[in-house]
Amino acid sequence: MLTRLSLRLRIFLIFAGLAGAIVVATTLGLWLGYSRLGEPGALQGFVQAGVLAGFAALGLVAWVWYLFDLHVAKPIETLAGALRARAHSDVTAEMDAAIARYLGDLAPAAQAAAQSLAETRSALAEAVARETLRLGSEKARLEALLSDVPVGVILCSADHALVFYNGPAADIIGTGRAGGLEAGLDRKLFDYIHAAPLRHAHERLMATGDPDAVSDLLCTTTAGARVLAARMRLLGEGGDGGYVLTLRDITADMAADARREAMLEGALDSLRRPAAALSTIVGVMPEDALPAPMQAALREEVARLAQAVTRFGAAREEGQAEAAALPQTRASDLAEGLVARLAAQGLIVTVETADLILRCNGYEIITVLEHLARHLADRAVGRLHLSIEEEDSGATIRLSWTGPRIGVGELDSWLALPLSEETAERPARAVLSAHATEIWPETAADGRHALCLPIRQARRAVARPKPVVRKVIYDFDLLSPARTDALADRRLDRLTYVVFDSETTGLNPRQGDEIVQLAAVRIVNGRRVEGEVFDTLVNPGRPIPAVSTAVHGITDAMVADAPRVEDVVRRFHKFAEGAVLIAHNAPFDMEFLRRQEGTLGLRFDMPVLDTVLLSAVVYGQHEVHSLDALAHRLGIAIPEEARHTALGDTIATADAFLKLLPMLAGRGLATFGAVLTEVRKHGRLLKDLN
């Protein structure tokens, strides 16, 4: 309850209580003295003494309270108000320390705190303004880059609303074209592109749960019916189902391909038939129809013509297969998609699939199979069955049934029909042409009829490898002219570094020990670039001792197919070119690298910094400077499974270096030359360490 009262009122109550206690104590003392004296005539004297003592005590307490209130309580409240004004309002005026001159160092300390707060706030405002300007500049650069990207880029929310699009995307989806809806943010993507393939791709990506998965698909615009090659990728963690869609208009390419294929098909037919006729004529020609030399030459030329036609046909088929840049689709996904499509129309199909990955556009193949299944249902066939089986280097999709047989002519008429009302200009046969395949009817030994659709390329599914994280890597500060300054005068946070570490067969490079793993990361303008990593196992050309394997876990079997030391060191030299090398206990790792200089004709003459010495500069030589000790002091956690791996130790060293940078700057060591001068004082550490 008392905490709700003001400071001055609480102090007043304290002094009032003190005064009351003094009066009570004085009264009790006088009463005790009177009772022991035992003289009734002395009562008046005791009363007068008590009254005078009480008033004197009250006056003294009141005077002390007044002085305390004037010089302590009131200044404290004034000081608190001034501090709150500077903490919560934009007050920058200097505080008057005289208001609390009787409070010792409190007023100067409060004044220093307020001044520090003002300076921090000012520095923060400047940093925010500077960072805002930098981000605005980078935003403008990124917008310029995206506007010049030749493919359309669209960013959509989970409900398929436009969040971002660049200029080519606006052109592709209909801006400025007759019948095309003007592109606009928060409009549905389906206003511009037919929904079915996009929904299918989005559902498949959401089902995988893999943020790095992509889906390649073909789709068509609602205006102009242009065919687009698209790639969809989810935004990843925090994207809530949003996705990026890249688009490329391939209408003209497909038309050109169709014309070329028609021309090649015509040319092949025009050659195949005469060649076959000539072969037949030569085969039945009497022996004496022509002189023997002429007849032999004729047979030879006809044979060459037949071989040329065969090679022409094979090359055309191979070109068709290579030209079809088709995505990979899991056979089970394709079957499940068809089952769901047909179930929505009241049709039932059983499936049997091998665990295969098919090279095909899953959406289009499902659409063709659905198209054929509907026509089969109109013929009142029995229950449908879909099977996908491996055959040679490809696979065969069979849609089988019991009941009436379907002839080639009827099948051709179905394939000539459009797949849907949305794509009236794209018949089912166009999908087969895009996949460089055909479909035909056949009858199995058990009497069931089937439609056979071969897929040229397929492979057995294996365990999914760890996805490769793709990042857009940039640092526009590299355009700064300050990068041309002399190295010694360059600020540490403006240099480019390559932090590296190696694992070896042993500790004695001069006795034949070699590198078995080498890893490195790049630090540019004070930040570790996530996407620029060098990490490889190395075949040392000699057995790895068991004692070394116990440390880093690398065995002879793991490096059997790894590149040789010379190849790895050459690649690392290129990776580190133009940067400052950083390692923990750098002389040890550098000796392994420099042993290869004569063989490769290269020199590792880059500047080198050692985090052992940097740790000594910051913490003093008396401390332990192992990587574990340094990481512990800096609050860096090294996962147990990453310790004593080249990449794990490299990342820990890089993070330690980035935390040491501001500490070095705080000691006035902000440039490379200043740090180099300082670390030379601690070189003895490395000699002792090695």
Side-chain angles (χ1 to χ4, degrees), residues 599-664:
T599 304
L600 301 177
L602 301 172
R603 286 188 58 79
F604 282 91
D605 53 2
M606 305 88 165
V608 180
L609 286 179
D610 195 313
T611 47
V612 171
L613 300 183
L614 297 180
S615 176
V617 170
V618 173
Y619 293 106
Q621 292 197 26
H622 62 280
E623 289 285 355
V624 177
H625 300 290
S626 67
L627 182 58
D628 288 314
L630 179 59
H632 178 73
R633 283 197 293 269
L634 295 174
I636 298 170
I638 308 177
E640 185 64 31
E641 65 275 10
R643 187 66 176 104
H644 291 300
T645 67
L647 185 58
D649 289 355
T650 293
I651 292 175
T653 303
D655 291 345
F657 175 72
L658 289 174
K659 290 197 173 187
L660 288 171
L661 278 180
M663 300 169 74
L664 291 168

Side-chain angles (χ1 to χ4, degrees), residues 428-665:
R429 184 169 293 282
V431 174
L432 302 181
S433 298
H435 287 74
T437 188
E438 273 294 343
I439 190 169
W440 61 83
E442 69 175 21
T443 302
D446 59 359
R448 291 180 63 87
H449 303 296
L451 297 178
C452 296
L453 174 60
I455 301 296
R456 289 178 173 271
Q457 297 181 43
R459 61 175 175 82
R460 287 199 168 273
V462 295
R464 175 178 294 180
K466 183 178 179 179
V468 176
V469 179
R470 300 179 180 87
K471 294 182 179 292
V472 176
I473 300 169
Y474 68 93
D475 192 328
F476 291 126
D477 289 340
L478 296 178
L479 301 175
S480 169
R483 287 177 52 80
T484 60
D485 297 342
L487 182 62
D489 298 329
R490 294 274 296 279
R491 290 179 54 87
L492 289 175
D493 57 0
R494 310 304 294 174
L495 290 171
T496 296
Y497 303 93
V498 167
V499 187
F500 75 101
D501 185 66
S502 62
E503 300 297 334
T504 62
T505 60
L507 305 178
N508 299 302
R510 296 179 183 178
Q511 296 180 15
D513 282 321
E514 280 291 0
I515 298 171
V516 296
Q517 187 181 27
L518 185 62
V521 297
R522 285 172 63 84
I523 293 176
V524 180
N525 286 339
R527 67 183 182 92
R528 179 157 57 87
V529 185
E530 297 288 347
E532 297 186 10
V533 178
F534 183 97
D535 183 24
T536 181
L537 291 171
V538 184
N539 188 334
R542 56 161 292 178
I544 303 175
V547 65
S548 298
T549 298
V551 175
H552 48 59
I554 300 173
T555 64
D556 291 327
M558 294 171 63
V559 300
D561 297 325
R564 303 286 296 182
V565 174
E566 296 80 3
D567 297 333
V568 171
V569 172
R570 182 182 288 108
R571 286 169 46 208
F572 175 74
H573 185 276
K574 192 65 178 177
F575 182 83
E577 197 172 37
V580 177
L581 291 177
I582 295 177
H584 196 80
N585 191 15
F588 175 79
D589 299 284
M590 290 302 300
E591 187 165 358
F592 282 93
L593 297 177
R594 286 176 173 149
R595 287 183 65 240
Q596 304 296 327
E597 289 181 335
T599 304
L600 301 177
L602 301 172
R603 286 188 58 79
F604 282 91
D605 53 2
M606 305 88 165
V608 180
L609 286 179
D610 195 313
T611 47
V612 171
L613 300 183
L614 297 180
S615 176
V617 170
V618 173
Y619 293 106
Q621 292 197 26
H622 62 280
E623 289 285 355
V624 177
H625 300 290
S626 67
L627 182 58
D628 288 314
L630 179 59
H632 178 73
R633 283 197 293 269
L634 295 174
I636 298 170
I638 308 177
E640 185 64 31
E641 65 275 10
R643 187 66 176 104
H644 291 300
T645 67
L647 185 58
D649 289 355
T650 293
I651 292 175
T653 303
D655 291 345
F657 175 72
L658 289 174
K659 290 197 173 187
L660 288 171
L661 278 180
M663 300 169 74
L664 291 168

Side-chain angles (χ1 to χ4, degrees), residues 166-183:
N166 64 352
D171 292 335
I172 289 172
I173 62 179
T175 300
R177 299 176 184 268
L181 178 66
E182 192 78 15

